[in-house]
Amino acid sequence: MNSNAFEDSSFSTASAPGLTARSGNLFTVSLIGRRKPEGRSAYTGIPKQFRGKDPADYAGECLALGEAYYFGLGKEQSCADAARWFREAAEEGNADAETYLAEMYYLGLGVSQDYAEAAAWCRKAAEQGDACAEGYLTEMYYRGHGVRQDYAEAARWCLKAVEQGNEDVDSYLGVMYYYGHGVRQDYEEAARWFRKAAARGDGGAATYLGLMYHFGRGTERDAEEAARWYRKGAEKDKALAQNNLGCLYYSGEGVEQDYAEALRWYLKSAAQGYKNAECNMGRLYEEGHGVVKDFKKAAEWYRRSADRGDAEAQFRLGWLLYAGTGVQQDYGGAAGLFRKAAGQGHTGGEYSLGIMYLFGRGVQQDDELAGRWIRDAAEKGDAKAENLLGHMYSAGLGVLRDDGLALSWLRKSAAKGNSEAENHLGDMYRDGQGVARDYAEALIWYLKSAGRGNAKAMKNIADMYLEGLGVEKSLTEAEKWLRMAAEKGNEEAGKELSSLLGEG
């Protein structure tokens, strides 16, 4: 990925768009999907004839009065009063009331939040076959709220809810199949449930479908389909979808590249505190894409994200501090950020921390620690780290000298197109270090490196023509390569060119 696009395992089925217990607005849907009772405009109280009579009738009237307070039907909306009447009904074994009461304890509506109490009431209702309660138990077991986290138990309750037609848990079942939580991992099955939920406008499910197409989970990678599903999630205000849609606009994958659109979606996601989007905002300002280049603003965005623990932002802010770009130069601060990023397994952070130890910038110089961090990055396939580790084995710097390992790491880096590694391999073949001396092979590596613009390799080719190593001596060829190297800023090549031309 050319931008900070990530998967996210967070998910919630609890949603009441625009309506919260503290909004002052009347509920039209409860947070677990129970809808305002239809055909009832107001409720004034429990008729006297039900008091002390049939418990089921009494419970039903208590439930109705609880709903009146909950939804504001002829009563001033009051979660505390709703909870009181739901308890009355719940204690008579009314499953609907038990579920409402579980919800209120779960969310702290009219009562003190208490996950354990929520789980207890929810179980009572679920054991009576209440599909909403089964859905809530799914979430409780999945997240470990009020009960010990248990994916298998979450899946059991989720499947029960689905069997009874509770569509609100479709997305949860998709998540379980996606990650293999409580069920065998099955991307096709995950996609099936996500599609069902997305068809009803579930933004979270649409976001997961975007992830599946974006990263090739259970399907061929398809950036256009990813963009289509991300857009559906983004329009439902899902921060992850907004960020990843921005990433597609940034890179031009699946959509026409458009930095202004990337900026727009990153801003929406960042406004929700999504750390990856904050980091991406920093990158736009650092590179001047869609905005006027501004290193100070880049640093501000990176810091927001880094403070939330984003490893990429820590890495990028670290280099701004190292160079003193947009911020005051601070090697110690840079090293600290690289350490945080490296601690999260960020390859760039590991490599950068190794560099700090190698040169003693912001930390006590330590070749062995440098080698350790650089090896960590190299083992993850970072070409720069592989090249540097090859150099360290070649020179015995921070590690025991080992020409065989040097060649191995340099070849890995060269295979990724690293011109420094290609040039160093040329040196090893020219000098016979760890291999039989082979000028022809050396020239092949130097030419590869020079073809990528490496000035040192250009000078090395010039020297081979000057000395006739594996090629016929040729002052003309030597002059050509020295001139090319000098134009790339190689001072030694410039001096040698002047000497060759009699200008020194």
Side-chain angles (χ1 to χ4, degrees):
M1 295 292 102
N2 294 321
S3 45
N4 206 3
F6 285 95
E7 296 192 58
D8 193 330
S9 61
S10 63
F11 202 90
S12 176
T13 56
S15 62
L19 302 172
T20 71
R22 301 170 183 80
S23 70
N25 297 323
L26 297 181
F27 292 126
T28 58
V29 59
S30 80
L31 299 183
I32 52 171
R34 289 195 180 280
R35 300 203 167 272
K36 172 181 173 180
E38 296 181 5
R40 188 188 302 160
S41 60
Y43 193 89
T44 56
I46 299 176
K48 291 182 180 179
Q49 63 266 31
F50 285 109
R51 295 174 186 164
K53 302 293 183 181
D54 187 331
D57 290 339
Y58 175 67
E61 291 301 313
C62 289
L63 171 69
L65 187 53
E67 288 180 327
Y69 279 111
Y70 194 94
F71 293 108
L73 294 168
K75 299 289 184 182
E76 183 178 350
Q77 188 182 41
S78 169
C79 288
D81 285 327
R84 180 164 64 89
W85 287 108
F86 286 147
R87 185 183 297 279
E88 282 280 324
E91 288 174 350
E92 296 292 342
N94 184 286
D96 287 337
E98 289 167 344
T99 305
Y100 273 122
L101 196 56
E103 171 184 282
M104 301 188 87
Y105 274 110
Y106 191 80
L107 300 170
L109 301 177
V111 293
S112 297
Q113 188 177 54
D114 187 330
Y115 288 145
E117 190 73 6
W121 284 110
C122 208
R123 186 177 298 280
K124 288 177 183 289
E127 288 172 351
Q128 293 190 61
D130 186 281
C132 286
E134 290 166 346
Y136 237 138
L137 274 180
T138 297
E139 174 154 335
M140 291 178 183
Y141 275 108
Y142 193 85
R143 295 183 179 280
H145 287 170
V147 293
R148 180 178 58 83
Q149 187 180 51
D150 187 331
Y151 291 140
E153 193 68 2
R156 185 171 76 85
W157 285 110
C158 191
L159 288 167
K160 282 179 175 287
V162 167
E163 287 171 4
Q164 294 196 72
N166 184 342
E167 296 178 333
D168 292 328
V169 298
D170 287 352
S171 287
Y172 246 122
L173 194 53
V175 170
M176 290 178 186
Y177 278 113
Y178 186 90
Y179 293 106
H181 288 167
V183 294
R184 179 177 55 83
Q185 188 178 50
D186 186 331
Y187 288 128
E188 288 186 8
E189 194 66 6
R192 183 168 78 87
W193 289 104
F194 285 144
R195 286 183 191 282
K196 288 180 68 174
R200 296 193 304 277
D202 187 312
T207 301
Y208 269 103
L209 285 168
L211 288 168
M212 297 184 81
Y213 282 107
H214 193 170
F215 294 98
R217 301 284 188 261
T219 182
E220 292 294 321
R221 291 183 64 174
D222 187 329
E224 288 187 16
E225 274 295 287
R228 185 170 75 86
W229 286 109
Y230 280 151
R231 190 178 305 281
K232 290 178 183 290
E235 289 171 350
K236 292 288 184 178
D237 217 27
K238 298 299 179 182
L240 173 60
Q242 292 167 337
N243 175 70
N244 285 12
L245 183 57
C247 292
L248 293 181
Y249 275 111
Y250 177 93
S251 62
E253 295 178 85
V255 293
E256 186 175 346
Q257 189 176 54
D258 188 330
Y259 292 129
E261 273 296 284
L263 173 67
R264 185 168 77 89
W265 288 111
Y266 287 157
L267 278 172
K268 286 178 178 289
S269 183
Q272 298 190 60
Y274 193 66
K275 62 184 180 181
N276 305 104
E278 292 172 332
C279 178
N280 287 330
M281 283 296 301
R283 185 166 183 175
L284 290 180
Y285 276 106
E286 183 179 3
E287 298 171 344
H289 288 156
V291 293
V292 175
K293 184 179 288 190
D294 188 326
F295 291 115
K296 184 178 179 180
K297 284 187 177 179
E300 289 171 356
W301 279 108
Y302 284 149
R303 191 172 297 281
R304 287 189 201 182
S305 181
D307 287 347
R308 296 184 197 275
D310 186 80
E312 179 72 10
Q314 291 164 347
F315 164 69
R316 289 182 172 276
L317 180 58
W319 278 110
L320 291 184
L321 287 170
Y322 182 92
T325 306
V327 290
Q328 185 173 348
Q329 189 176 55
D330 181 355
Y331 289 144
L337 285 165
F338 292 149
R339 189 181 304 281
K340 286 182 178 180
Q344 296 187 63
H346 188 280
T347 306
E350 292 168 340
Y351 174 76
S352 301
L353 187 57
I355 293 292
M356 302 299 273
Y357 276 112
L358 191 62
F359 294 102
R361 299 282 172 83
V363 293
Q364 184 70 36
Q365 199 277 336
D366 190 320
D367 289 339
E368 288 188 14
L369 277 177
R372 173 191 147 195
W373 286 110
I374 290 165
R375 180 182 288 103
D376 284 350
E379 288 174 347
K380 291 177 180 173
D382 184 86
K384 290 187 295 183
E386 290 169 340
N387 169 62
L388 184 51
L389 189 58
H391 279 266
M392 294 176 79
Y393 274 113
S394 174
L397 182 62
V399 294
L400 291 175
R401 179 171 171 169
D402 188 322
D403 290 337
L405 283 175
L407 284 164
S408 175
W409 284 111
L410 288 170
R411 284 198 175 99
K412 288 181 180 181
S413 182
K416 296 181 176 74
N418 186 287
S419 69
E420 286 295 320
E422 291 168 337
N423 180 65
H424 198 165
L425 281 170
D427 290 344
M428 296 187 79
Y429 277 103
R430 181 196 62 197
D431 301 335
Q433 183 182 347
V435 291
R437 178 173 284 143
D438 187 332
Y439 293 131
E441 187 69 12
L443 183 60
I444 288 171
W445 285 109
Y446 286 148
L447 285 169
K448 284 185 178 183
S449 181
R452 301 184 197 280
N454 189 297
K456 289 185 290 185
M458 294 172 185
K459 182 185 178 300
N460 285 331
I461 294 170
D463 290 342
M464 294 188 80
Y465 277 108
L466 283 172
E467 299 175 29
L469 301 178
V471 292
E472 289 188 15
K473 283 187 177 182
S474 172
L475 294 180
T476 301
E477 282 295 305
E479 179 187 343
K480 180 185 81 172
W481 285 103
L482 285 172
R483 192 177 301 281
M484 290 170 66
E487 289 172 352
K488 289 283 185 180
N490 188 294
E491 293 182 4
E492 289 185 17
K495 291 176 183 177
E496 203 165 323
L497 180 62
S498 295
S499 177
L500 184 65
L501 298 176
E503 299 173 356

